[in-house]
Amino acid sequence: EEAGFQIAVAASTNVEGVEEVATMEQAIEMVQREPHLYFGCHWCQSGWATPQSWGKNKAKVFRRSCKLFRNGLEKKTSAYCALVAKYRQLDDVDPSNEVRDFFTEGTLKHFKGADYSFKCPGR
């Protein structure tokens, strides 16, 4: 959560990639529940008036399909606050505890006639 920031999208971003929701809590829940679908959200902090272009909604949620401006965050006044879903690399996996499933052992391990290891980067 970043106070004083808002999410910055490129001018060419499609409107369908941005959803307006009624509350900050609703926006945060959407991003936390489905981080694979949403890049993040931003809202106007309590005590501040929301921009007229937002209508009656208090927050915006941005899909991962949005084209972002630079890194996606832009410094603004303290009226705004943004939350971005970030992925972190897990610690080293103990090979004895690796989870192997049909998708990993089948589809991901063999591609276009080539065999790849379980730990192949980019998979």
Side-chain angles (χ1 to χ4, degrees):
E1 196 170 308
E2 299 281 342
F5 283 85
Q6 77 176 54
I7 294 178
V9 294
S12 61
T13 295
N14 196 340
V15 178
E16 287 101 30
V18 181
E19 295 181 39
E20 294 182 352
V21 295
T23 65
M24 165 193 78
E25 292 82 9
Q26 188 179 6
I28 291 172
E29 181 184 341
M30 288 173 70
V31 173
Q32 289 177 341
R33 188 180 54 225
E34 299 179 299
H36 60 287
L37 295 179
Y38 299 105
F39 168 75
C41 60
H42 70 216
W43 59 89
C44 239
Q45 305 228 45
S46 61
W48 294 86
T50 57
Q52 288 182 338
S53 63
W54 290 20
K56 294 181 179 180
N57 296 307
K58 301 289 183 191
K60 290 186 177 186
V61 182
F62 299 84
R63 291 189 168 275
R64 289 199 173 270
S65 60
C66 288
K67 293 178 183 150
L68 302 173
F69 180 70
R70 295 188 181 152
N71 70 348
L73 286 176
E74 181 178 32
K75 183 89 170 130
K76 286 289 187 181
T77 66
S78 58
Y80 293 97
C81 193
L83 175 98
V84 174
K86 292 183 181 178
Y87 288 93
R88 292 182 301 170
Q89 179 178 338
L90 298 175
D91 293 334
D92 291 334
V93 178
D94 180 7
S96 63
N97 292 331
E98 287 180 358
V99 177
R100 303 291 176 116
D101 57 16
F102 175 76
F103 184 69
T104 301
E105 290 298 315
T107 307
L108 293 179
K109 194 168 183 178
H110 310 287
F111 182 69
K112 291 188 178 181
D115 291 336
Y116 297 93
S117 73
F118 178 69
K119 296 183 179 185
C120 183
R123 284 194 12 196

